[in-house]
Amino acid sequence: MIGKSAPKFDLANYDLKPFCYEKYLNGIGINTETVNDPLFKNTVYTVESKVGEREMQNTAFVYHNRDGEAVGLESVNFRFSQFAAGSKRGESLYLSNDTGKTENLYVMNHPTDCLAFRQLNPEMENVRFAATGGIPTAEQVKLCVETAQKSGAQIVLSFENTIDGAKSEFRFLENDKIRLENGRYKVRP
């Protein structure tokens, strides 16, 4: 692709609908009640796409940059996960809703991890979730730090128990604003 620039992401190019495609999330064990939790309300969508003559529905998550601008879209389904053309995954995060009382920002690789964790821990209060869409970039680590600092929250890393999960955790430890204290990651002022 010499001489060609990457396509610019524009959320308006996608037919996002309120969450209605339950088959995928229910199939991986995430119930609709979790999607409707105030933390996730209106952060999980259904997007329709066409591959050849075949029309499909996918679960979709919007990623935002530090200014709150939508700069990426991740679509997932059974054996399928991709970012829309032009998405700036490395410069953005999927974030659950801010309740205004965040004490802990749980950071995970994927939005579905956030939903599953919440479903397993419905009693948790004063939490917010962030997902990086894979191994975090240095910019995503900075975004997590900034998000935590806005509310005075601690960062709680909850990555998969895999090589990629370990790489994700090390990426956070490379940031000089993060310190490990009593088994918890704290944000330095």
Side-chain angles (χ1 to χ4, degrees):
M1 287 188 41
I2 297 175
K4 288 190 176 183
S5 60
K8 182 165 173 42
F9 176 79
D10 185 353
L11 192 60
N13 291 335
Y14 298 90
D15 186 20
L16 281 188
K17 295 179 174 17
F19 177 72
C20 62
Y21 175 67
E22 298 177 357
K23 187 175 182 181
Y24 170 68
L25 289 181
N26 288 174
I28 63 170
I30 297 170
N31 63 43
T32 305
E33 291 78 28
T34 301
V35 175
N36 290 324
D37 181 300
L39 281 169
F40 298 107
K41 189 86 170 150
N42 301 318
T43 69
V44 183
Y45 300 93
T46 295
V47 65
E48 295 183 358
S49 59
K50 195 170 184 179
V51 177
E53 294 299 313
R54 193 170 136 214
E55 292 187 19
M56 300 171 41
Q57 287 188 323
N58 296 307
T59 300
F61 304 95
V62 178
Y63 283 65
H64 295 87
N65 64 15
R66 75 174 23 85
D67 299 322
E69 177 187 5
V71 296
L73 181 70
E74 182 180 15
S75 298
V76 295
N77 210 325
F78 296 102
R79 289 177 262 152
F80 169 83
S81 177
Q82 79 175 27
F83 278 85
S87 290
K88 295 182 178 178
R89 179 197 77 83
E91 302 171 21
S92 59
L93 298 170
Y94 162 81
L95 286 167
S96 68
N97 293 314
D98 184 0
T99 63
K101 306 175 211 164
T102 305
E103 294 175 5
N104 291 303
L105 175 68
Y106 284 81
V107 182
M108 301 178 184
N109 289 116
H110 300 284
T112 51
D113 299 332
C114 299
L115 290 162
F117 191 86
R118 177 61 173 179
Q119 185 168 305
L120 292 171
N121 299 281
E123 74 288 346
M124 292 173 55
E125 295 180 357
N126 305 326
V127 298
R128 190 172 190 195
F129 294 91
T132 59
I135 297 172
T137 64
E139 180 64 18
Q140 287 177 308
V141 172
K142 288 179 190 174
L143 287 170
C144 288
V145 169
E146 290 169 13
T147 301
Q149 285 176 324
K150 284 178 188 173
S151 61
Q154 296 183 87
I155 292 177
V156 181
L157 301 181
S158 187
F159 296 116
E160 300 160 349
N161 189 19
T162 62
I163 297 293
D164 284 350
K167 289 178 183 177
S168 297
E169 191 163 333
F170 284 124
R171 186 63 53 92
F172 272 80
L173 292 174
E174 293 172 342
N175 185 296
D176 63 356
K177 292 272 187 194
I178 304 286
R179 72 178 189 282
L180 185 60
E181 185 178 295
N182 297 324
R184 303 286 298 237
Y185 294 90
K186 304 245 181 175
V187 179
R188 291 187 175 120

